[in-house]
Amino acid sequence: MIRIGIIGGGISGLTAAFTLEDHRRAGAVEYTLYESSPNLGGVLRTEHIQGCIVEAGPDSFITEKPWAADLCRTLGIRDQLIGSNDVARKTYILVSGRLIPMPDGLMFMVPTKILPTGLSPLFSWTTKLRMAQELFHPARAAQADESVASLIERHYGKEMVDRLADPLLSGVYGGEAANLSVRAVLPRFAEMERTHGSLGRAMLAARKKTPRPANQPAPPLFTSLKNGMQQLVETLVPRLNPSSLVTNAPVQSIQPEAGGWTISAGLKSDHFDAVILAVPTHAAAKILSLCRPELSAELAAIDYSSSITIGLGYDRQVRESLPPGFGFLVPRSEHKRLLAATFVHNKFPHRAPDDRALLRCFFAGSTAENIWQLSDDAIIAVVRNELQQILGLDSEPLFARVYKWKSAMAQYCVGHLERLDRIERLRQQLPKLALAGNGYRGIGVPDCIRSGTNAAEQVLTR
Ligand SMILES: Cc1cc2nc3c(=O)[nH]c(=O)nc-3n(C[C@H](O)[C@H](O)[C@H](O)COP(=O)(O)OP(=O)(O)OC[C@H]3O[C@@H](n4cnc5c(N)ncnc54)[C@H](O)[C@@H]3O)c2cc1C
């Protein structure tokens, strides 16, 4: 019988526990999951307010990455999966105070259709000329990692970084394109530059190579659950052994002992053959600081950004007055505090009754830090003021909720993959220890699920 300790009860730790559950039932494994807060699920949290499904943390996951939907199928809730309403998909970018739709044919941020991009007021003529020139960009194998901003600027110029790359990445990582590593965040772009030179030509070539079969509709870009993301946690937790789950149990440290590890949580300590650290890397760094200072320092050097989401419900009149589409992104050059807003009633229509508008607003990084200390009412006033400026929205919301997430989004800064190599070398020198979570190879829910599964398999097989 192997004894395994799991630290962290977010989706990464819960998935690791779920992977071990069959082995526990077979009598081969015993596990204990330690969660510092009273609740399991980490940042996956959903509230039901006045008929609206309000997501406090993630609202969906990218369909292209299969691990979250696969887990839902294994859990028997395939019929609860819903796709984003892509016929209404339109995202606006705020430029000089006006909302301009992203033109058709942009694949992430790479233009692949000449006419819509050429006619779009989103870009100046200088950038449009750069887009045409980009098709002749020579192939180049970069020797070292660089920031996303630097790669995009080399291909399309500064305006593309400001109006597209930076807002799109802020929406995902809550960070800045100038800091994020191309190799860690957009490895495909580095590869496309190496093989084709031009990102535009590489995208078109990839599309040609794998054409979609005729009459087969494109899968939705985003997938979620009918009752919100918390439904995943509520389905998963009852499938675990209740006496293996310990909440309100912050782990202070772990110590290598007798070929395994001793976990200290509060006044209690317990011995395990293997440990899975499924917490943000800053928390893992603290837990390892006494016994493995070098590994701890590498983990602590992975940056995290804080974020605030605000759910706002409005009446039918507001719903009818809002632009169609999924919402908007705000480039830093607009000097607003808001980074993005989603029109949830359009993206996932059943999440709001027909006579309600549901908005999800997002602050992250330094703008979130700047308003962190304010009361919820004061934060709501900041959002409403910005929505007034951007959308002309004056109405009083029917409800408003503020959710704060301290240092919850990992930033894969330039050199991230080299740091992961160093972490891996240090980890291999230790008794069985696996790392899972959003600090390593993917920040999204599907990546975290995959990391939890991999971590469990690693401690079982090593
Ligand atoms: C606001 C926001 C919006 C997001 N939107 C999306 C989205 O739309 N789509 C998407 O795919 N992803 C999104 N993400 C990212 C994704 O949700 C997260 O990366 C993922 O859920 C992280 O899961 P986790 O289990 O690794 O970490 P967490 O959810 O952070 O869980 C870690 C757990 O460890 C516990 N813990 C910490 N320290 C200790 C300790 N010492 N002892 C015991 N327990 C401890 C914490 O209390 C927490 O419960 C979003 C993230 C945020 C914050």
Side-chain angles (χ1 to χ4, degrees):
M1 165 90 74
I2 315 175
R3 299 198 76 225
I4 300 170
I6 303 169
I7 305 173
I11 194 63
S12 304
L14 291 174
T15 309
F18 182 64
T19 310
L20 297 178
E21 191 50 36
D22 281 347
H23 301 269
R24 185 194 69 79
R25 290 210 189 101
V29 161
E30 201 179 274
Y31 69 85
T32 302
L33 181 147
Y34 296 86
E35 164 55 44
S36 56
S37 76
N39 304 309
L40 295 167
V43 302
L44 270 68
R45 217 171 101 202
T46 308
E47 274 200 86
H48 297 256
I49 308 167
Q50 296 184 19
C52 292
I53 294 176
V54 181
E55 296 289 9
D59 74 341
S60 56
F61 45 86
I62 293 183
T63 309
E64 204 185 8
K65 296 194 171 190
W67 309 288
D70 286 350
L71 176 62
C72 292
R73 284 184 206 105
T74 310
L75 290 168
I77 51 168
R78 173 195 215 125
D79 62 334
Q80 298 297 301
L81 290 171
I82 50 163
S84 48
N85 178 30
D86 287 357
V87 285
R89 192 168 82 208
K90 187 189 263 195
T91 303
Y92 302 86
I93 309 280
L94 190 72
V95 178
S96 308
R98 275 178 56 217
L99 289 178
I100 309 229
M102 276 168 61
D104 193 23
L106 278 179
M107 291 177 79
F108 199 46
M109 58 194 85
V110 175
T112 60
K113 286 188 185 169
I114 296 168
L115 203 62
T117 321
L119 295 175
S120 169
L122 183 56
F123 306 110
S124 65
W125 283 109
T126 317
T127 301
K128 287 174 188 172
L129 188 65
R130 288 289 298 264
M131 289 175 186
Q133 287 168 341
E134 201 275 339
L135 295 169
F136 304 97
H137 198 286
R140 172 181 187 275
Q143 298 304 311
D145 195 9
E146 63 179 324
S147 71
V148 174
S150 131
L151 181 134
I152 296 297
E153 189 176 337
R154 191 163 62 249
H155 284 256
Y156 300 108
K158 262 192 164 51
E159 188 180 81
M160 190 70 143
V161 174
D162 173 55
R163 294 194 183 166
L164 268 188
D166 200 47
L168 283 169
L169 289 170
S170 298
V172 179
Y173 290 88
E176 298 188 20
N179 300 329
L180 294 171
S181 147
V182 165
R183 286 189 180 171
V185 169
L186 292 171
R188 205 172 144 206
F189 279 27
E191 180 58 15
M192 289 192 304
E193 187 180 57
R194 191 182 67 76
T195 53
H196 288 76
S198 157
L199 305 179
R201 273 192 296 119
M203 282 285 188
L204 290 170
R207 205 163 55 185
K208 235 187 199 162
K209 224 167 140 187
T210 48
R212 187 171 310 119
N215 303 328
Q216 192 174 310
L221 191 57
F222 303 101
T223 301
S224 194
L225 284 151
K226 277 188 189 155
N227 273 322
M229 293 295 287
Q230 197 174 315
Q231 191 179 358
L232 175 55
V233 177
E234 284 164 2
T235 314
L236 206 164
V237 171
R239 304 281 290 269
L240 305 176
N241 179 35
S243 60
S244 297
L245 308 174
V246 192
T247 51
N248 294 308
V251 169
Q252 286 98 34
S253 64
I254 58 173
Q255 289 287 343
E257 235 169 60
W261 294 94
T262 296
I263 293 184
S264 302
L267 296 175
K268 287 192 185 153
S269 41
D270 209 348
H271 188 264
F272 295 90
D273 302 301
V275 166
I276 297 172
L277 270 172
V279 291
T281 57
H282 50 81
K286 278 193 194 130
I287 291 169
L288 287 162
S289 62
L290 286 180
C291 75
R292 283 296 177 273
E294 202 185 340
L295 176 55
S296 165
E298 291 288 5
L299 291 166
I302 296 172
D303 274 348
Y304 271 73
S305 128
S306 297
S307 47
I308 303 177
T309 58
I310 296 108
L312 294 157
Y314 290 95
D315 62 15
R316 181 194 294 272
Q317 237 179 346
V318 168
R319 182 171 176 141
E320 285 165 1
S321 72
L322 289 172
F326 279 12
F328 61 84
L329 299 166
V330 185
R332 262 165 248 281
S333 55
E334 291 294 308
H335 304 294
K336 298 269 182 277
R337 294 195 263 194
L338 197 58
L339 277 183
T342 306
F343 305 150
V344 181
H345 53 277
N346 289 337
K347 187 175 175 186
F348 292 109
H350 72 286
R351 286 199 167 162
D354 290 347
D355 59 353
R356 292 278 186 275
L358 177 59
L359 267 62
R360 169 185 159 94
C361 298
F362 183 65
F363 295 93
S366 54
T367 43
E369 297 291 351
N370 288 342
I371 58 170
W372 197 264
Q373 302 302 338
L374 299 181
S375 66
D376 284 5
D377 284 347
I379 291 176
I380 291 162
V382 171
V383 182
R384 289 191 58 200
N385 180 36
E386 301 230 328
L387 291 177
Q388 200 285 326
Q389 292 172 34
I390 297 168
L391 297 167
L393 178 54
D394 284 317
S395 310
E396 188 77 31
L398 300 171
F399 65 82
R401 291 287 188 284
V402 176
Y403 308 99
K404 291 179 174 175
W405 302 107
K406 188 78 186 160
S407 303
M409 293 176 121
Q411 306 293 294
Y412 301 162
C413 295
V414 175
H416 182 72
L417 296 185
E418 287 81 0
R419 170 160 288 115
L420 292 191
D421 287 344
R422 295 195 294 277
I423 289 174
E424 183 54 19
R425 277 197 296 276
L426 293 166
R427 186 191 70 82
Q428 282 182 0
Q429 297 162 13
L430 298 171
K432 279 187 179 180
L433 176 77
L435 303 168
N438 71 12
Y440 307 99
R441 296 187 189 272
I443 187 182
V445 171
D447 298 295
C448 291
I449 287 172
R450 181 178 56 161
S451 81
T453 311
N454 288 348
E457 285 167 355
Q458 209 175 47
V459 293
L460 285 172
T461 55
R462 250 184 78 202

